[in-house]
């Protein structure tokens, strides 16, 4: 088999995954697209390892070993990523990436219930600053 077939398939898989990462808004679909990109890299590693092993008989199959490491890292990444997405979904009620960009409260928001900040709090910090000066 020629090297061009798996290389073209790998590039198509990688481009599909890249499109999914850039265009999707759902966090789970983005994670699936990252997995698709990692699988394209794995396909390339194995294809080039087989192609290079035909040239030299005594090889260590380093491409296949790197593929095993990549699979292990991808499994850990998807486990941690899904745990984070589920925790954010439980807290916020959405997994839309555009709505999750601002994870911290802005200073203008005030308290956790959305009320205006306490006016006396600023005066108390000014008095502490004058007392220490």
């Amino acid at each position: 088999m020629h090297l061009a077939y798996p290389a073209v398939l790998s590039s198509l898989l990688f481009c599909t995954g890249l499109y999914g990462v850039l265009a999707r808004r759902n966090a789970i679909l983005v994670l699936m697209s990252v997995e698709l990109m990692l699988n394209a890299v794995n396909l390339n590693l194995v294809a080039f390892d087989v192609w290079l092993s035909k040239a030299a008989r005594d090889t260590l199959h380093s491409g296949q070993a790197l593929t095993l490491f990549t699979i292990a890292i991808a499994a850990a990444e998807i486990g941690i990523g899904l745990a984070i997405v589920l925790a954010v979904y439980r807290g916020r009620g959405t997994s839309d990436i555009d709505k999750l960009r601002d994870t911290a409260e802005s200073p203008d928001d005030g308290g956790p219930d959305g009320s205006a900040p306490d006016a006396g709090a600023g005066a108390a910090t000014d008095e502490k600053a004058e007392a220490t000066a």
Side-chain angles (χ1 to χ4, degrees):
M1 180 165 66
H2 297 287
L3 182 62
Y5 297 134
V8 168
L9 179 63
S10 175
S11 64
L12 288 174
L13 283 175
F14 192 84
C15 289
T16 304
L18 186 64
Y19 172 75
V21 167
L22 295 176
R24 299 293 175 190
R25 292 191 174 140
N26 190 351
I28 294 178
L29 291 177
V30 170
L31 287 174
M32 288 174 58
S33 298
V34 169
E35 288 293 321
L36 195 62
M37 292 169 60
L38 287 173
N39 286 331
V41 170
N42 287 340
L43 180 62
N44 248 348
L45 284 171
V46 171
F48 276 98
D49 182 49
V50 169
W51 183 64
L52 291 174
S53 69
K54 289 181 182 178
R57 289 281 182 203
D58 298 329
T59 59
L60 296 175
H61 297 291
S62 57
Q64 294 177 14
L66 284 173
T67 299
L68 289 176
F69 285 119
T70 307
I71 290 171
I73 289 171
E77 175 256 337
I78 199 69
I80 292 171
L82 277 176
I84 291 171
V85 168
L86 286 176
V88 168
Y89 182 77
R90 286 181 184 166
R92 299 231 178 186
T94 184
S95 63
D96 190 7
I97 294 176
D98 290 338
K99 294 179 182 175
L100 299 177
R101 289 189 185 183
D102 300 327
T103 56
E105 286 184 301
S106 64
D108 298 335
D109 286 345
D113 59 343
S115 61
D118 188 17
T125 57
D126 291 339
E127 290 175 5
K128 287 181 185 177
E130 289 176 6
T132 57

